[in-house]
Amino acid sequence: MAQVVLPKILGNGMVMQRNQPVPIWGTAAVGEKVTVTFNGQIKITVADAGGKWQILLNPMKASAQPAALTISGTNTIKLNDILVGEVWLCSGQSNMAYEMRKNSKVKKPDTSTVNSPVDELERAHNPQIRIFSVTQKNLAKPDSTHGGWSVAEDSALRAFSAAGYFFAKRLNHDLNVPVGIISSAVSGSRIEPWAPQGAYDAIPYFKANGIKIEGDPGKFYGKMIEPLAPFAIKGFLWYQGESNCFLGETIGYTYKMEALINSWRKLWNDKNMPFYYVQIAPFYYSQSKGQVAYTEFTEPQLREAQTLALSIPHTGMIVTTDLNDDLKNIHPPFKWEVGHRLELQALANTYGQRKVVFSGPMYKNMKINRNKIIIDFNYKGGGLVSHNDRPLTDFTIAGQDGKFIKADAEIKNNTIVVSAPSVTAPVAVRFAWSESAQPNFYNKNGLPAVPFRTDNPLKFTLTAN
């Protein structure tokens, strides 16, 4: 007699997604009757010819009251301490994997010692925040103890994603509901292993340009993403790009992001699932040795590719030009701010809090007025400002000769007027167009402007789905 078996992600202490149907699934003997009971709901199904079964719990309101989920067939499994709230999946490479124990060792960003996010590990004991860490092995086999989910505290939290945790902490505080966060990230990973080969095959750009997808497509998708579905989640958080920057990628990365986003949404059968991601932080790529020759523009070009992915529906990007205090460190601190900015995206665009400003100024258009270029922006958020009240930095301007030189930039009528004495007939402006740029141009809500160039030659065409 085959017993009822559950996948690893279904376990004690988990958070189930509120306000949408919640799949509970597993295996059993062929034809075996399986009964699932939770909070007054009773669902019955029969295992199919492959021994698989699945039921859908009806949508539920959030609940911080721990409840038990019972699954019974020839055997009975009782999962305890289950909450209902918001569930997100965070993924990427080392900056997403960056653990809370590392967060505890960073230099405090200010003189105050009270409530510093650096000390978060010492005081994190909120039973409404639950965490689950995916490894390359732990989803492969069921777990008879039904462990894996933990309250976000102590040793479980020490080894957990700092960006993911700080996102969850803010979300729990602002929505006042339990939050479950799943971290599935691998240090040093490229984007390619996180989506299956078929996802890349579905994007005509690669075939049209004779691009073969390298980097082991599907490797982590098969082990670390696919086995999580159809666990009910609200959306995805993504922090990756450094490994592909080291390959000197530009527009190809945008299409790879599209392949990844499409494949994850398809796996969860929801083409509108939110996907919020982090633009890579300043770092001296040009001082590295690798497969290609790097310049100070290698990183801005990858960042540009990340920005272009915003034309994929239901995506959002946060900027981190101000979140590295050592440009020789590819793993900058300030993950609490990464979590915070990601949460602003979710509050505004997933949870409908329209008053929340979720992005720094983003280039909209330009017009040339004699020897000046006037630039307008989206996401002005209460107005354009210099963060430190000094002249705006990191603007450059070029005339017909295409040589970019340092420019003066002034805020006028909520636009930026850019000029340089030696450029009498300007044609283009660039902003933060360098790996080391840490500009002081923000909106009044404290969010930094998105790097850009008005002479961007790249075009991204969304694949018809």
Side-chain angles (χ1 to χ4, degrees), residues 130-422:
R130 306 292 174 86
I131 56 178
F132 185 100
S133 288
V134 177
T135 69
Q136 292 192 54
K137 294 181 179 164
N138 69 346
L139 298 181
K141 293 188 185 131
D143 170 12
S144 58
T145 69
H146 309 295
W149 283 93
S150 309
V151 172
E153 61 185 10
D154 304 333
S155 59
L157 185 57
R158 275 177 63 76
F160 194 75
S161 162
Y165 167 75
F166 284 113
F167 171 87
K169 184 187 178 187
R170 303 285 303 218
L171 201 62
N172 166 253
H173 174 270
D174 291 340
L175 299 183
N176 198 24
V177 299
V179 175
I181 190 111
I182 302 162
S183 174
S184 182
V186 176
S187 293
S189 59
R190 291 165 54 161
I191 192 172
E192 293 88 343
W194 292 104
Q197 180 64 50
Y200 301 106
D201 294 340
I203 307 282
Y205 171 84
F206 299 115
K207 193 173 182 186
N209 291 279
I211 296 167
K212 182 179 183 298
I213 302 298
E214 310 281 352
D216 227 343
K219 180 182 175 184
F220 300 138
Y221 175 85
K223 292 179 190 172
M224 299 178 70
I225 300 296
E226 203 173 19
L228 294 171
F231 191 83
I233 60 175
K234 192 68 175 183
F236 309 109
L237 308 173
W238 176 251
Y239 191 166
Q240 193 277 340
E242 297 88 350
S243 286
N244 292 79
C245 190
F246 277 119
L247 298 168
E249 289 208 71
T250 61
I251 189 72
Y253 185 82
T254 318
Y255 286 99
K256 287 172 187 175
M257 279 188 72
E258 185 187 21
L260 175 114
I261 293 166
N262 288 351
S263 68
W264 288 13
R265 287 174 174 169
K266 188 176 172 188
L267 182 61
W268 266 273
N269 198 24
D270 180 357
K271 60 175 191 273
N272 299 329
M273 226 164 182
F275 186 97
Y276 302 132
Y277 59 97
V278 183
Q279 191 176 57
I280 57 175
F283 173 74
Y284 285 134
Y285 287 90
S286 62
Q287 296 179 13
S288 313
K289 287 194 166 51
Q291 298 184 25
V292 297
Y294 307 117
T295 72
E296 65 173 315
F297 307 125
T298 304
E299 180 176 13
Q301 286 168 348
L302 189 279
R303 279 201 197 125
E304 185 173 66
Q306 290 180 307
T307 305
L308 282 167
L310 286 170
S311 56
I312 301 166
H314 310 291
T315 56
M317 182 184 79
I318 70 158
V319 171
T320 58
T321 47
D322 56 342
L323 299 184
N324 196 353
D325 57 2
D326 173 9
L327 298 195
K328 291 187 168 133
N329 179 13
I330 204 164
H331 303 120
F334 312 120
K335 295 295 187 268
W336 54 87
E337 187 59 30
V338 170
H340 172 213
R341 290 177 187 176
L342 285 168
E343 191 244 5
L344 293 176
Q345 291 277 347
L347 285 182
N349 299 312
T350 299
Y351 299 108
Q353 298 192 13
R354 293 281 167 244
K355 289 183 180 165
V356 171
V357 176
F358 59 88
S359 173
M362 185 179 285
Y363 172 67
K364 184 178 175 185
N365 56 44
M366 63 163 261
K367 59 182 187 211
I368 298 168
N369 185 354
R370 299 207 274 283
N371 63 339
K372 294 178 169 61
I373 292 183
I374 300 161
I375 300 189
D376 201 6
F377 295 86
N378 293 314
Y379 311 120
K380 296 179 191 181
L384 308 179
V385 294
S386 160
H387 193 52
N388 51 14
D389 293 326
R390 293 189 184 138
L392 294 177
T393 64
D394 296 286
F395 281 89
T396 56
I397 195 165
Q400 295 290 354
D401 62 1
K403 288 181 181 159
F404 282 85
I405 63 162
K406 192 173 173 225
D408 300 316
E410 284 182 275
I411 302 166
K412 276 190 184 163
N413 303 325
N414 233 6
T415 62
I416 303 283
V417 179
V418 188
S419 63
S422 63

Side-chain angles (χ1 to χ4, degrees), residues 22-232:
V22 174
I24 305 293
W25 76 101
T27 58
V30 174
E32 185 173 348
K33 180 177 152 190
V34 179
T35 305
V36 177
T37 313
F38 184 75
N39 262 356
Q41 293 193 48
I42 300 170
K43 302 282 182 173
I44 298 170
T45 187
V46 173
D48 67 14
K52 293 178 176 174
W53 60 268
Q54 179 178 317
I55 63 96
L56 282 178
L57 291 172
N58 301 336
M60 299 169 277
K61 286 193 163 71
S63 171
Q65 191 64 43
L69 174 74
T70 305
I71 303 103
S72 53
T74 52
N75 59 315
T76 296
I77 298 169
K78 188 178 180 190
L79 302 180
N80 293 308
D81 189 25
I82 291 168
L83 310 180
V84 180
E86 291 296 320
V87 187
W88 287 76
L89 169 60
C90 62
S91 183
Q93 61 180 111
S94 52
N95 273 309
M96 186 59 96
Y98 186 102
E99 302 94 342
M100 284 295 288
R101 63 182 168 78
K102 290 183 182 162
N103 181 74
S104 298
K105 295 191 172 89
V106 305
K107 190 172 84 216
K108 289 193 179 166
D110 51 36
T111 51
S112 71
T113 51
V114 185
N115 282 344
S116 171
V118 174
D119 301 324
E120 182 62 28
L121 209 44
E122 294 166 24
R123 56 172 185 265
H125 303 290
N126 183 347
Q128 285 196 30
I129 303 174
R130 306 292 174 86
I131 56 178
F132 185 100
S133 288
V134 177
T135 69
Q136 292 192 54
K137 294 181 179 164
N138 69 346
L139 298 181
K141 293 188 185 131
D143 170 12
S144 58
T145 69
H146 309 295
W149 283 93
S150 309
V151 172
E153 61 185 10
D154 304 333
S155 59
L157 185 57
R158 275 177 63 76
F160 194 75
S161 162
Y165 167 75
F166 284 113
F167 171 87
K169 184 187 178 187
R170 303 285 303 218
L171 201 62
N172 166 253
H173 174 270
D174 291 340
L175 299 183
N176 198 24
V177 299
V179 175
I181 190 111
I182 302 162
S183 174
S184 182
V186 176
S187 293
S189 59
R190 291 165 54 161
I191 192 172
E192 293 88 343
W194 292 104
Q197 180 64 50
Y200 301 106
D201 294 340
I203 307 282
Y205 171 84
F206 299 115
K207 193 173 182 186
N209 291 279
I211 296 167
K212 182 179 183 298
I213 302 298
E214 310 281 352
D216 227 343
K219 180 182 175 184
F220 300 138
Y221 175 85
K223 292 179 190 172
M224 299 178 70
I225 300 296
E226 203 173 19
L228 294 171
F231 191 83

